[in-house]
Amino acid sequence: MHRQHIVKHTKKKLLGMDLAEMQAVAHEMGMPPFAARQMMEWVYVKRVRSIAEMTNLSLKHRQMMDQQYEVGIEAPIEAVHAADGTIKYLFKIREGQFVEAVYIPDGERATLCVSSQVGCKMHCAFCMTGRQGFGAHLTAGEILNQLYAIPQSASLTNVVMMGMGEPLDNTDEVLKALDLITDAKLLAWSPRRITLSTVGVRGNLRRFLDESECHLAISLHAPTPQLRSELMPAERIYSITEMVELLRGYDFTGQRRLSFEYILFDGLNDTLADARKLVHLLDGLQCRINLIRFHAIPDSELNGVSMERMVTFRDYLTRHGLFTTIRASRGEDIYAACGMLSTKKLKI
């Protein structure tokens, strides 16, 4: 007796498609070209969950599309709530692959921290995601799904590409997602509501600066190339001194903001001597510094510093011309550090 094998047909997802791709779908289905723009509006503006809801398309065409396509919004498989209102969402990407998005309410602001990869290639010493290794690039649709699938989707005011993965190691899909978010005929978000955080990837950083107007945050964490290379292996490939020279060629005096993220580690990068080196490195660059408290991760020898030490470091930088803030820690009771929840899921 032969066992029958059933092959499950995987439908293509509309979420993440740009206008040219939607036009190809319309052509394939025998629909007029203007149907592509109608589908874009249903998916990105009206946020429908099914093709059946696209009621200005004919019933025949909706039924045809439904055989091969789906909208592609997939709910998170887990949500963990913190006492301060922060919510960490876990999304299943493929079998055995997970990413996180973090919803952070703060007064009138509602920020979503979004992932761009499963795991990460950068292997930063302080990051749990890097310990997973690299799993996969997220598609533009998988990036956007994090925005569309959460219950607070319609009330979001800001997005930060600071979740799992290195955004500029997945530049094509990240820029495609950002283009769809900021498209004047779709969500029409201002680029000033979006910040991309990167360790710096040679070539792709320049491309991001040239092709996007979103804010930029550089993951710095050390005032010298030598120390940074100990914490962040990517420094050996693209030095922070080279990045700073590149950044000097761009205008950050207007609405576009440049910031540097700096986690303070006890006895490593937290002295006033380190602060002086930081002032020297960034001298003359229009930027701000975000000091970040270290979220401890398992089996790490790194330790954070007291708030008093952070204030001292901040005040020195501010006195010497670097606008510096201390970022409030959020959600520490729910596996706050990037990669903690997904790593826990992988171990279950």
Side-chain angles (χ1 to χ4, degrees):
M1 180 177 179
H2 296 285
R3 181 176 295 175
Q4 185 176 5
H5 293 277
I6 300 175
V7 179
K8 185 178 179 181
H9 176 65
T10 302
K11 294 182 180 180
K12 299 175 185 176
K13 302 180 189 302
L14 298 178
L15 185 67
M17 288 189 179
D18 58 22
L19 182 57
E21 290 169 314
M22 288 285 194
Q23 288 171 335
V25 173
H27 179 75
E28 178 189 358
M29 295 291 114
M31 293 188 285
F34 64 79
R37 182 57 74 177
Q38 291 176 320
M39 289 188 288
M40 295 283 281
E41 184 175 2
W42 282 114
V43 172
Y44 295 110
V45 183
K46 297 181 179 178
R47 302 167 183 258
V48 298
R49 297 298 180 102
S50 69
I51 290 172
E53 297 173 72
M54 301 180 181
T55 52
N56 59 355
L57 304 181
S58 72
L59 177 60
K60 180 188 77 171
H61 286 131
R62 278 180 280 157
Q63 290 174 335
M64 288 174 58
M65 281 186 63
D66 197 47
Q67 297 298 312
Q68 299 183 48
Y69 294 92
E70 61 184 349
V71 173
I73 297 177
E74 298 183 10
I77 63 171
E78 188 174 344
V80 184
H81 296 250
D84 62 11
T86 300
I87 306 173
K88 175 165 277 193
Y89 290 102
L90 186 68
F91 293 88
K92 183 177 180 179
I93 302 302
R94 300 169 194 91
E95 192 61 40
Q97 294 185 331
F98 306 91
V99 297
E100 305 160 14
V102 183
Y103 171 73
I104 308 168
D106 185 14
E108 295 182 355
R109 289 171 62 96
T111 301
L112 189 69
C113 183
V114 175
S115 295
S116 57
Q117 293 178 318
V118 178
C120 186
K121 299 176 183 177
M122 300 300 134
H123 300 294
C124 297
F126 47 83
C127 180
M128 197 70 185
T129 303
R131 293 187 181 182
Q132 295 182 12
F134 173 72
H137 294 302
L138 296 190
T139 65
E142 289 165 338
I143 294 169
L144 291 172
N145 184 63
Q146 296 168 69
L147 279 73
Y148 276 86
I150 65 171
Q152 304 85 359
S153 177
S155 63
L156 292 174
T157 63
N158 296 83
V159 165
V160 289
M161 299 289 302
M162 295 182 182
M164 295 173 61
E166 164 53 56
L168 296 188
D169 188 43
N170 186 20
T171 310
D172 288 343
E173 296 301 312
V174 166
L175 286 178
K176 184 180 179 184
L178 296 182
D179 285 345
L180 289 166
I181 296 171
T182 57
D183 189 317
K185 294 182 179 179
L186 300 178
L187 288 184
W189 272 39
S190 166
R192 313 310 177 198
R193 295 169 62 183
I194 304 169
T195 300
L196 180 142
S197 174
T198 178
V199 303
V201 179
R202 189 185 299 274
N204 292 348
L205 177 57
R206 182 186 294 276
R207 181 181 168 194
F208 169 76
L209 289 166
D210 290 341
E211 296 183 20
S212 171
E213 296 180 359
C214 297
H215 295 313
L216 173 65
I218 300 292
S219 189
L220 180 56
H221 312 306
T224 65
Q226 294 77 17
L227 178 55
R228 191 169 186 259
S229 66
E230 294 177 22
L231 292 168
M232 307 170 67
E235 167 69 24
R236 301 164 198 165
I237 301 172
Y238 191 24
S239 171
I240 187 61
T241 54
E242 294 179 78
M243 271 186 274
V244 168
E245 286 308 305
L246 171 67
L247 295 169
R248 292 188 191 283
Y250 289 83
D251 182 12
F252 296 102
T253 59
Q255 292 185 325
R256 188 179 204 179
R257 186 172 65 242
L258 170 64
S259 59
F260 289 87
E261 298 162 331
Y262 194 98
I263 300 174
L264 281 166
F265 299 107
D266 184 37
L268 190 63
N269 65 350
D270 60 335
T271 68
L272 292 184
D274 293 314
R276 282 193 293 273
K277 293 174 185 176
L278 195 54
V279 170
H280 176 72
L281 174 68
L282 304 179
D283 181 46
L285 194 59
Q286 187 70 28
C287 63
R288 64 174 62 187
I289 308 294
N290 290 323
L291 299 182
I292 304 170
R293 184 175 160 193
F294 177 51
H295 285 198
I297 61 175
D299 303 317
S300 173
E301 296 180 357
L302 297 170
N303 295 297
V305 302
S306 67
M307 180 56 70
E308 181 182 9
R309 186 92 59 86
M310 294 189 78
V311 169
T312 299
F313 201 91
R314 177 200 65 190
D315 291 348
Y316 180 92
L317 295 178
T318 300
R319 287 197 306 271
H320 291 80
L322 285 176
F323 178 71
T324 306
T325 60
I326 298 174
R327 183 182 297 167
S329 294
R330 301 293 301 268
E332 290 195 75
D333 53 330
I334 56 164
Y335 300 98
C338 286
M340 292 283 280
L341 184 59
S342 56
T343 298
K344 179 191 174 193
K345 188 70 176 180
L346 290 170
K347 291 180 179 179
I348 293 177

